[in-house]
């Protein structure tokens, strides 16, 4: 199995440029996404973590800005969920093993399957 994350790219390749034979999406509930983004933003703000080019989290007032990851994830989550579902249902993907990951447990299980004792193609 050569999985690839089905993010905003449409022409996806697996490891080392080989075509992926198992497209995967991270399809966690909106509440969990929001919890993770809020927690991360809060910790970056409290710790004054440098994000990039000297930028730091500006605090709770910035969190309502439409471009902030909190607002962005809230508004875009339903859009991406619909578009990923449509892509997974596309006839050209019917022959592929499609992987929908809904929790950390499912991600860990997939990684264990790919890198376990018999590693499969994940070890090449």
């Amino acid at each position: 199995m050569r999985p690839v994350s089905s993010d905003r790219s449409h022409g996806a390749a697996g490891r080392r440029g080989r075509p992926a034979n198992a497209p995967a999406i991270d399809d966690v509930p909106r509440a969990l996404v929001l919890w993770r983004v809020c927690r991360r933003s809060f910790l970056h703000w409290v710790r004054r973590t440098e994000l990039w080019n000297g930028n730091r989290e500006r605090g709770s007032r910035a969190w309502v800005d439409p471009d902030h990851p909190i607002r962005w994830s809230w508004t875009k989550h339903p859009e991406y969920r619909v578009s990923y579902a449509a892509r997974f249902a596309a006839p050209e993907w019917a022959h592929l093993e499609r992987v929908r990951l809904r929790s950390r447990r499912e991600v860990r299980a997939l990684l264990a399957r790919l890198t376990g004792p018999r590693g499969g193609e994940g070890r090449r």
Side-chain angles (χ1 to χ4, degrees):
M1 174 193 297
R2 290 183 306 276
V4 65
S5 173
S6 174
D7 61 5
R8 288 170 287 290
S9 62
H10 293 281
R15 293 173 68 174
R16 298 183 187 169
R18 295 180 297 169
N21 63 7
I25 62 170
D26 187 9
D27 189 20
V28 297
R30 190 182 203 184
L32 180 57
V33 170
L34 193 61
W35 163 251
R36 289 176 178 173
V37 174
C38 287
R39 181 176 182 270
R40 187 178 318 126
S41 293
F42 177 76
L43 291 174
H44 286 165
W45 177 54
V46 169
R47 295 175 181 163
R48 303 299 302 148
T49 306
E50 183 175 331
L51 303 174
W52 64 90
N53 294 331
N55 292 333
R56 299 184 191 285
E57 189 67 60
R58 292 177 296 156
S60 59
R61 287 187 190 172
W63 299 343
V64 296
D65 181 326
D67 292 330
H68 190 278
I70 291 174
R71 285 277 305 273
W72 187 91
S73 64
W74 177 259
T75 57
K76 293 296 183 179
H77 185 272
E79 261 180 61
Y80 283 116
R81 199 163 212 191
V82 168
S83 71
Y84 292 161
R87 220 179 306 168
F88 259 39
E92 60 268 20
W93 285 24
H95 68 287
L96 299 174
E97 177 185 356
R98 292 160 287 191
V99 182
R100 176 169 276 142
L101 303 167
R102 294 182 179 98
S103 68
R104 285 185 181 172
R105 181 180 302 145
E106 290 180 1
V107 171
R108 284 188 204 111
L110 176 64
L111 292 174
R113 180 174 154 200
L114 295 172
T115 62
R118 294 196 169 263
E121 292 179 320
R123 283 298 210 178
R124 288 185 187 195

